[in-house]
Amino acid sequence: MIEVRNVKFVYNEGAEDEKEALHNVSFTVNDGEFVALVGHNGSGKSTLARLFNGLLAPSSGIVKVDGMDTSDKKALFDIRKTVGVVFQNPDNQMVASVIEDDVAFGPENLGLASEEISERVEWALKSVGMAEHRKGTPFRLSGGQKQRIAIAGVLAVKPKVMVLDESTAMLDPLGRDEVMNVITRLNREEKMTVIMITHFMEEAALADRIIVMRDGRVAAEGGKEIFRKRELIESAGLELPVAARIAAKLRERGLDIEGDVTLPGELIDALCP
Amino acid sequence: MPIKITDLNYVYSAGTPFAKHALKNVDLYIEDGEFWGVIGHTGSGKSTLFSHLNALTRIQSGVIQVDEFTMTGNGGKKLKRKNRPDFKALRARVGMVFQYPEYQLFAESVEEDVAFGAKNIGIKGDELAERVENAIKMVGLDYEEVRSRSPFDLSGGQKRRVALAGVLAMHPKVLVLDEPTAGLDPRGKKEILDLITEIKAALCPTIIMISHNMDEVARYCDKIAVMADGELKLTATPKELFTQTGLLESLHIEMPQVTALACALASRGLDVSGAALTEDELVEEILRAKGVTA
């Protein structure tokens, strides 16, 4: 679905404050997959988010979305229909003062018929559990609710891929759960490809595959077995999920714990057979 | 010289259909030298409460005493000059670090930005220069390296430190931090929390930290205030609060991840207390229960 091949990205190329944010990055994201992209602040995660839908074009290398090259300006419209991005700050993503108008903004720009638009708006709002708010204003909602409206706005375009760029970072635990529930459901039930950029390793542990970024490079990728590599995760400025941290400390002290422990339930099962 | 809040009430947009009773009869006493954590959902009144401490929010009803400063509510009307404390002196005493403070940087150089607050409370000349230098060093930045640079060329974590230095240069005795670790990666979070611990030891003895991260609060704070729907529901030590499962549920507060894990292990029959607040505590308890000795 998304192919990143030998991508280099340089901000302010040629200027005095030139900065190479990505050095020769390659990976693919398959159709229907839930991938977590993790890494420290400044590791290049958000640059990748902007490369996925052609907001930025690579300085060298290729980013392909559903077979389309993001450097091809003529393909941008279709690329943005395919890849939707939800950003960090919900307040910066609201465009209208009535929720249903806000969600309709994307499909309106696709030039769809008005019945189709209102069907999509209703479906998108239902998907995020906000249908009863459609006539309300986004400005009086909580952070978690606003972020769900932002997700609905992206959904209404019916993209194949949803990219979340630290979309839960500004939310409280309740809001974070609301958003994560919506995302995992969309991935499982609607088979939507999800790329989630996050610092929260407990969120990353819900993904099928984890890609660890460090200083503009892919430091590691793989399934949950990645959390066995404590040094690698810590060298990327991250920390293991709490259950994995405790399992690692217990192993260091000589207690034998079998299997890959990342979620609390797995540690509990390992300790209380 | 402690902080005493008595019967504080606050209503937003009073007299309109959007009126919201943001604070209801809040009483709170904070002793000098304490590290408080304040928890509660978005909209529970946390920020409204603490923005009263340095008079950023005009007091409507109730009394607030911070050291020698006393503010008494006057129905939200501006207090007469003779009835109100010296706000500049109060704001030097109580430092506020807002959420994402890096968005509030504005000056052309780090040095100027850090000096702004101190200058406004009348510090000048050598003393100003000295305070600025010390504050920049205290937040762990290389003074010579960053002093003349534009704050906008720094990384996100460095910018947040510059913003913090600007408050420290005013030499506050109470520091209010609104989600100081929001948006930082795990390493950045730990660095900021360790920095706050250092600041508490070296400069500013009383710390009030608003946080959504229960593990952070459990690990670093002496006392916790729980806000919900504009009310101060209770104050307790982390141990008292996080071991009361029923209470936490009724207040919709998450347990620290470590404590939740400890509870789950205890309920599955492992011989642990279920009250561990830190990872190391839990690790020791598990090892003991499993009969592993060092």
Side-chain angles (χ1 to χ4, degrees):
Chain A
M1 178 52 68
I2 291 189
E3 189 185 352
V4 176
R5 207 185 322 138
N6 304 324
V7 164
K8 191 171 109 172
F9 188 83
V10 186
Y11 283 102
N12 304 325
E13 200 161 4
E16 199 186 317
D17 54 352
E18 162 177 309
K19 185 173 180 286
E20 194 169 318
L22 295 173
H23 325 274
N24 201 26
V25 170
S26 300
F27 59 82
T28 52
V29 175
N30 302 316
D31 209 356
E33 211 179 5
F34 182 172
V35 173
L37 202 54
V38 300
H40 57 87
N41 291 115
S43 63
K45 305 185 302 288
S46 295
T47 305
L48 278 170
R50 285 158 178 75
L51 287 166
F52 291 147
N53 76 344
L55 280 176
L56 297 174
S59 306
S60 70
I62 290 179
V63 178
K64 276 193 169 176
V65 172
D66 213 4
M68 298 173 280
D69 187 335
T70 61
S71 298
D72 175 6
K73 289 210 164 62
K74 288 195 289 292
L76 279 182
F77 190 80
D78 287 326
I79 287 169
R80 289 181 188 152
K81 258 190 341 197
T82 311
V83 181
V85 185
V86 181
F87 292 99
Q88 187 181 104
N89 189 341
D91 289 321
N92 294 347
Q93 298 174 73
M94 300 294 146
V95 293
S97 53
V98 176
I99 286 171
E100 61 179 359
D101 295 348
D102 193 85
V103 176
F105 183 77
E108 275 168 1
N109 277 289
L110 297 179
L112 299 172
S114 64
E115 303 83 60
E116 167 86 16
I117 293 175
S118 63
E119 262 168 46
R120 284 189 179 202
V121 168
E122 197 178 322
W123 168 78
L125 282 171
K126 254 191 203 144
S127 297
V128 299
M130 293 292 289
E132 73 277 23
H133 289 84
R134 62 182 297 168
K135 300 283 180 197
T137 171
F139 303 105
R140 293 190 181 275
L141 298 176
S142 74
Q145 289 173 322
K146 279 185 201 167
Q147 204 60 306
R148 284 190 282 157
I149 298 298
I151 292 172
V154 171
L155 273 183
V157 177
K158 297 211 168 166
K160 292 181 180 163
V161 184
M162 168 109 59
V163 178
L164 298 122
D165 188 2
E166 294 191 40
S167 305
T168 61
M170 297 181 101
L171 307 180
D172 65 13
L174 204 69
R176 195 172 297 150
D177 284 347
E178 287 171 6
V179 169
M180 286 310 295
N181 288 339
V182 169
I183 294 307
T184 43
R185 202 180 52 75
L186 286 171
N187 174 251
R188 287 194 192 124
E189 290 170 20
E190 310 274 341
K191 308 289 174 230
M192 187 174 276
T193 307
V194 172
I195 303 175
M196 193 176 58
I197 297 175
T198 183
H199 288 146
F200 293 101
M201 299 307 266
E202 284 72 21
E203 289 178 2
L206 298 171
D208 301 323
R209 194 154 56 96
I210 299 149
I211 297 175
V212 182
M213 296 293 297
R214 182 178 57 202
D215 300 325
R217 291 189 170 80
V218 175
E221 63 173 296
K224 286 199 287 181
E225 73 278 1
I226 226 166
F227 293 123
R228 280 217 166 192
K229 299 176 184 160
R230 184 172 171 188
E231 274 171 26
L232 172 109
I233 298 287
E234 284 174 3
S235 77
L238 301 168
E239 58 185 3
L240 298 174
V242 64
R245 282 203 302 274
I246 289 175
K249 284 184 179 172
L250 290 170
R251 283 186 185 121
E252 273 166 27
R253 297 280 294 274
L255 189 68
D256 191 27
I257 293 173
E258 279 177 30
D260 292 320
V261 171
T262 47
L263 298 172
E266 293 162 348
L267 181 64
I268 294 165
D269 287 341
L271 289 173
C272 312
Chain B
M1 293 182 287
I3 296 169
K4 193 174 174 203
I5 296 171
T6 315
D7 202 19
L8 188 66
N9 277 274
Y10 195 84
V11 182
Y12 280 107
S13 313
T16 76
F18 299 114
K20 186 175 181 234
H21 206 155
L23 292 176
K24 300 170 193 161
N25 310 80
V26 173
D27 290 302
L28 179 64
Y29 184 79
I30 293 178
E31 196 70 73
D32 275 352
E34 285 179 333
F35 194 148
W36 277 75
V38 182
I39 60 177
H41 291 295
T42 311
S44 60
K46 307 182 297 287
S47 304
T48 309
L49 173 57
F50 290 100
S51 63
H52 276 90
L53 282 192
N54 71 351
L56 281 180
T57 295
R58 187 184 293 156
I59 183 167
Q60 291 178 345
S61 90
V63 182
I64 296 174
Q65 289 161 276
V66 179
D67 299 349
E68 70 271 29
F69 306 98
T70 302
M71 290 172 279
T72 307
N74 184 24
K77 288 197 285 290
K78 201 168 172 182
L79 293 172
K80 293 221 167 61
R81 188 169 288 275
K82 65 176 170 32
N83 292 330
R84 74 172 186 238
D86 178 352
F87 284 161
K88 266 190 185 172
L90 174 64
R91 286 171 186 152
R93 191 73 54 83
V94 181
M96 286 278 173
V97 181
F98 295 104
Q99 259 184 59
Y100 293 86
E102 56 274 26
Y103 293 135
Q104 296 166 38
L105 300 175
F106 64 96
E108 282 177 25
S109 73
V110 167
E111 217 167 17
E112 274 175 75
D113 209 297
V114 173
F116 183 78
K119 225 191 230 168
N120 269 298
I121 55 167
I123 312 295
K124 45 185 178 263
D126 289 348
E127 195 193 344
L128 182 65
E130 196 182 312
R131 281 187 178 207
V132 168
E133 182 177 342
N134 288 338
I136 293 175
K137 286 180 177 164
M138 175 154 242
V139 297
L141 295 172
D142 181 338
Y143 174 68
E144 293 303 332
E145 212 261 315
V146 300
R147 58 184 292 190
S148 330
R149 282 175 67 184
S150 161
F152 301 104
D153 289 343
L154 303 175
S155 75
Q158 288 173 321
K159 280 188 214 168
R160 189 166 297 189
R161 284 160 189 269
V162 170
L164 184 54
V167 176
L168 296 182
M170 295 165 79
H171 288 187
K173 290 296 157 210
V174 177
L175 191 58
V176 180
L177 301 130
D178 195 350
E179 290 193 63
T181 64
L184 297 178
D185 59 33
R187 186 190 293 156
K189 281 194 167 92
K190 183 163 186 312
E191 283 172 3
I192 287 283
L193 289 164
D194 289 344
L195 176 60
I196 293 168
T197 313
E198 274 170 47
I199 290 168
K200 182 174 185 325
L203 177 73
C204 177
T206 307
I207 306 278
I208 299 167
M209 177 169 80
I210 297 174
S211 175
H212 285 309
N213 185 322
M214 299 304 136
D215 289 83
E216 243 170 59
V217 173
R219 166 124 192 250
Y220 288 88
C221 301
D222 309 316
K223 290 261 183 70
I224 299 175
V226 182
M227 298 284 300
D229 302 322
E231 289 174 41
L232 178 63
K233 291 289 180 186
L234 79 145
T235 61
T237 66
K239 219 80 283 143
E240 287 161 3
L241 176 67
F242 290 124
T243 47
Q244 300 184 58
T245 325
L247 178 68
L248 292 176
E249 257 172 41
S250 69
L251 293 171
H252 302 286
I253 297 170
E254 293 195 325
M255 274 190 187
Q257 296 184 51
V258 173
T259 316
L261 201 49
C263 270
L265 286 168
S267 72
R268 281 278 291 268
L270 193 69
D271 183 22
V272 294
S273 71
L277 292 178
T278 66
E279 283 165 34
D280 291 337
E281 255 178 272
L282 181 58
V283 166
E284 294 307 325
E285 288 191 16
I286 293 172
L287 290 172
R288 209 177 307 128
K290 289 278 180 189
V292 180
T293 44

